[in-house]
Amino acid sequence: MLDNNVFKTIINVSKSAVPQAVNLALRQEIVVKIFKDLKLDPTQPPDNVDGVYVYALIEYGVGKDEPILKLLREKEIKNAFWSAYSANSPISFLNEVDKFLNWELKDWNTLGNEIKESRIDIRSELEEFGQAFIRVAKRTKSSKFKLYPELNLDEYPDWNFDEYPAEFKSLIMEKIKAFCGREFVFEEFGNFINQNSNGYFTVVGDAGMGKTAIAAKYVYDHKLPCHFNVRADGRNKPDFFLKSIRKQLRKRYELQNGDRDGLSALLQKVSENLGGEKLVIVVDALDEVEQTGGGNILNFPTTLPDGVYFFLTRRPYERENKRLSVSPGVGMTELDLRASEYQGLSRDDVKEYIGFMLNEDPDYGVKLQNWVQERDIKKEDFIEQVADKSENNFMYLRYVLPDIAKGFYSDLSLRELPDGLQDYYQQHWVRMGMEDKPLENKVIVLFILVESRTVVSLERIANIAEQDEYDVETFLKEWVEFLSKQESNGNTCYSIYHASFLDFLKSKRELKGTRKLFEEVNARIASSYPDI
């Protein structure tokens, strides 16, 4: 076990610190105090495994329950952690801890029972500790803690217990909220797998028809390797896709090499480890991919090993833009959500979603019911009429239903709700006064996001727009449902949330009233930040 003095110091200081631990600044002061009490340098950890483990335990342990700290100080657990870390296989560490705790539970009321009685979420705690270890390991600058020490690449293990990557976790969780129906899509894909030994299955649909939600739901339910192309974040290029999928497959199948393999070689190696199982890789939004040169989109192989399938989504495309050719024997089919045979099924799913929002949604359900009751509308009629308005577009519903609940349409009859997604964008645009001359400065802010083609910091937006940061941020809050906000290197950054809204804004550049503003924005960007 770890030095008892380390363990006792963390426990004693943590007990007095629990009420304060919510404040990050105060918490850091407590961490530093523990280091000083133990006569350790808080800024420079040693470059050996035992030392980094102790530092990680200190930085992680403030305010934690005693049973989890007892577990992490066990020598067997520390050894299991390092073995899993070295193999970039966090799931194997979780499995070893489960075995350890289950063995304890069979004997007497010891550590396993203590953790159970404390209702500790062991999965999230072990994930948090591993991430603390990586932060400390990075400070040592030692190559022994890197993913490929022999190559000295600046990469560290992906300490994430979810089967899908951390960078897509928030997107997946957002998209599966209130997910309804689409069983016909999953059934068709099941039939495709049964009828083909390998292949590409593509879901095609217009913006807002729920393609990304379908992909996210399938990934979430089956814990599959995945990649979501996001044009606004720059995660839409072949090299980013390959790097992400390579990391996921190496982690999932514990491949000992292949850190530089192309997709074909990687899939061949994985196929040798399938043991009769299937490998499905989900790739969303092929229409958002940026790729130069010829060949298949994202460099998809023309041949696939048996048991390997791709579940793809994309918007409708011209034949010359398909960019997906396969060799004879490789299965390939498309399910077009716009096809007549799926219209009725999609409408059923839309009605199910509206019914859920109206009757069960914890955020908007009661307010929607009040809206309906105040207008003496039957729930069934509300569901039918909003379904008609939606044109089977889930993004329309995602925007309009909360707006109804918030009172934005409190003075309108149901007949006056916007028709379709583009009409919704236009009505919101007018309602926000964006076509009024005094609001040109606000229009410029949105156009900066359009023309920047990536996430942009608040400071940079304000500089280009020649406006105060506070005013810009206040305005962007008015468009919160259309924008993605994230923190990057201590800066607040923004981008357009979805490609359909980006396209709507781009269409404004063709209009006489706004063409000049687009030209002005591009001139400012070119003169102030030529690297954008």
Side-chain angles (χ1 to χ4, degrees):
M1 289 191 291
L2 292 170
D3 187 336
N4 245 355
N5 188 37
V6 173
F7 176 72
K8 288 179 179 179
T9 303
I10 297 174
I11 293 295
N12 291 336
V13 178
S14 291
K15 283 181 178 177
S16 62
V18 172
Q20 302 168 312
V22 293
N23 185 307
L24 293 178
L26 289 176
R27 188 182 188 283
Q28 188 57 35
E29 289 180 15
I30 295 161
V31 170
V32 172
K33 182 180 185 306
I34 294 174
F35 279 119
K36 289 182 176 178
D37 288 350
L38 294 169
K39 295 181 171 50
L40 298 173
D41 181 355
T43 62
Q44 186 55 56
D47 65 352
N48 59 74
V49 175
D50 288 341
V52 171
Y53 195 89
V54 167
Y55 270 60
L57 192 59
I58 293 171
E59 297 190 8
Y60 155 84
V62 172
K64 295 296 183 181
D65 292 323
E66 190 169 333
I68 189 67
L69 296 176
K70 284 183 179 178
L71 173 70
L72 289 169
R73 73 170 180 164
E74 293 287 340
K75 183 177 180 180
E76 185 176 342
I77 296 302
K78 182 178 78 71
N79 291 340
F81 172 82
W82 179 244
S83 177
Y85 181 96
S86 302
N88 190 24
S89 179
I91 297 297
S92 66
F93 177 55
L94 182 63
N95 293 337
E96 288 301 314
V97 170
D98 283 342
K99 290 179 188 176
F100 183 86
L101 293 178
N102 288 333
W103 177 83
E104 291 275 339
L105 284 169
K106 291 178 182 176
D107 290 294
W108 54 83
N109 187 24
T110 55
L111 187 53
N113 280 311
E114 287 181 40
I115 287 178
K116 184 177 180 181
E117 290 170 1
S118 298
R119 296 185 177 181
I120 293 171
D121 184 347
I122 193 72
R123 188 184 186 99
S124 64
E125 295 299 332
L126 296 179
E127 189 172 271
E128 185 180 339
F129 172 76
Q131 290 165 354
F133 185 94
I134 291 172
R135 287 196 299 273
V136 175
K138 287 180 178 180
R139 298 209 305 268
T140 70
K141 303 190 184 306
S142 172
S143 62
K144 74 177 67 172
F145 298 106
K146 295 181 179 180
L147 199 53
Y148 310 112
E150 69 280 2
L151 300 175
N152 199 25
L153 299 175
D154 195 26
E155 293 184 37
Y156 292 82
D158 180 17
W159 201 261
N160 169 31
F161 289 148
D162 288 320
E163 295 296 329
Y164 36 81
E167 63 262 31
F168 301 128
K169 187 172 182 178
S170 61
L171 182 152
I172 291 170
M173 300 312 292
E174 170 63 26
K175 290 296 182 180
I176 65 173
K177 285 180 182 177
F179 185 91
C180 292
R182 323 310 273 168
E183 287 302 322
F184 68 92
V185 177
F186 303 135
E187 288 176 6
E188 289 288 350
F189 182 56
N191 293 336
F192 176 77
I193 288 178
N194 291 334
Q195 296 165 9
N196 297 273
S197 60
N198 55 39
Y200 295 92
F201 180 91
T202 306
V203 177
V204 178
D206 289 327
M209 295 189 77
K211 301 183 299 299
T212 298
I214 290 169
K217 179 65 173 173
Y218 202 69
V219 168
Y220 181 80
D221 285 349
H222 300 280
K223 303 298 184 288
L224 299 172
C226 62
H227 182 81
F228 292 81
N229 290 289
V230 184
R231 180 166 53 189
D233 292 348
R235 293 197 297 251
N236 62 338
K237 299 178 177 62
D239 56 344
F240 195 102
F241 162 74
L242 177 58
K243 184 177 180 181
S244 175
I245 291 298
R246 181 193 288 140
K247 181 185 291 187
Q248 293 177 63
L249 294 180
R250 292 193 66 196
K251 173 183 172 182
R252 177 181 292 258
Y253 295 100
E254 299 185 7
L255 302 178
Q256 297 305 308
N257 49 38
D259 53 286
R260 297 188 180 280
D261 281 346
L263 189 56
S264 292
L266 200 62
L267 294 176
Q268 184 58 45
K269 288 180 180 178
V270 169
S271 71
E272 296 166 3
N273 290 276
L274 289 177
E277 298 294 322
K278 310 290 187 187
L279 167 64
V280 176
I281 298 175
V282 177
V283 185
D284 176 59
L286 294 184
D287 50 277
E288 297 202 20
V289 171
E290 288 185 13
Q291 179 176 346
T292 58
N296 277 346
I297 193 166
L298 293 178
N299 299 318
F300 286 144
T302 56
T303 61
L304 294 173
D306 286 348
V308 175
Y309 303 85
F310 280 84
F311 184 101
L312 312 172
T313 74
R314 69 185 302 166
R315 287 200 208 176
Y317 58 90
E318 298 295 331
R319 181 174 294 276
E320 62 268 20
N321 295 326
K322 182 176 182 177
R323 297 196 64 172
L324 182 56
S325 300
V326 299
S327 299
V330 175
M332 186 163 65
T333 194
E334 291 183 352
L335 186 156
D336 193 330
L337 294 172
R338 304 166 301 164
S340 58
E341 63 262 39
Y342 301 124
Q343 290 298 307
L345 296 171
S346 289
R347 182 180 174 85
D348 290 342
D349 292 343
V350 161
K351 290 168 61 177
E352 183 182 348
Y353 179 84
I354 299 169
F356 171 85
M357 292 291 290
L358 180 63
N359 297 310
E360 301 178 49
D361 185 80
D363 297 319
Y364 303 114
V366 172
K367 292 179 180 178
L368 284 171
Q369 290 178 43
N370 292 339
W371 194 94
V372 169
Q373 290 168 4
E374 288 168 3
R375 289 155 182 77
D376 196 26
I377 302 172
K378 292 181 180 179
K379 287 185 177 180
E380 296 79 8
D381 291 340
F382 176 83
I383 292 171
E384 289 288 348
Q385 291 183 52
V386 175
D388 286 342
K389 292 279 187 179
S390 75
E391 301 173 355
N392 287 352
N393 193 295
F394 282 88
M395 189 179 299
Y396 172 93
L397 299 174
R398 179 180 176 273
Y399 291 139
V400 168
L401 291 174
D403 274 5
I404 293 173
K406 292 172 185 175
F408 291 159
Y409 296 106
S410 59
D411 59 339
L412 299 178
S413 71
L414 195 60
R415 293 189 304 275
E416 294 172 300
L417 291 174
D419 290 306
L421 188 60
Q422 295 300 309
D423 193 18
Y424 173 77
Y425 290 149
Q426 181 61 31
Q427 282 201 24
H428 191 82
W429 180 267
V430 173
R431 190 170 72 231
M432 299 301 289
M434 302 300 285
E435 294 191 354
D436 298 338
K437 187 76 173 177
L439 291 188
E440 281 190 357
N441 282 344
K442 294 185 175 182
V443 177
I444 283 174
V445 169
L446 287 180
F447 287 178
I448 289 169
L449 292 175
V450 173
E451 297 302 277
S452 295
R453 301 181 184 88
T454 184
V455 292
V456 195
S457 71
L458 176 63
E459 178 184 11
R460 180 171 279 192
I461 296 171
N463 287 340
I464 297 172
E466 298 176 1
Q467 300 175 37
D468 184 84
E469 280 189 33
Y470 175 80
D471 293 336
V472 172
E473 185 172 32
T474 300
F475 165 66
L476 289 175
K477 286 178 180 177
E478 298 175 0
W479 291 84
V480 63
E481 67 264 46
F482 302 99
L483 305 177
S484 173
K485 178 182 176 181
Q486 63 191 72
E487 297 298 320
S488 177
N489 298 322
N491 296 316
T492 301
C493 299
Y494 292 87
S495 61
I496 305 297
Y497 181 74
H498 199 278
S500 61
F501 183 56
L502 185 64
D503 290 343
F504 168 78
L505 291 177
K506 284 182 176 180
S507 70
K508 293 291 182 182
R509 67 156 61 104
E510 305 303 326
L511 302 179
K512 184 177 180 181
T514 53
R515 192 182 307 144
K516 196 170 182 179
L517 288 181
F518 260 106
E519 293 172 356
E520 183 178 341
V521 164
N522 278 293
R524 291 187 189 183
I525 290 175
S527 62
S528 302
Y529 297 97
D531 59 311
I532 289 185

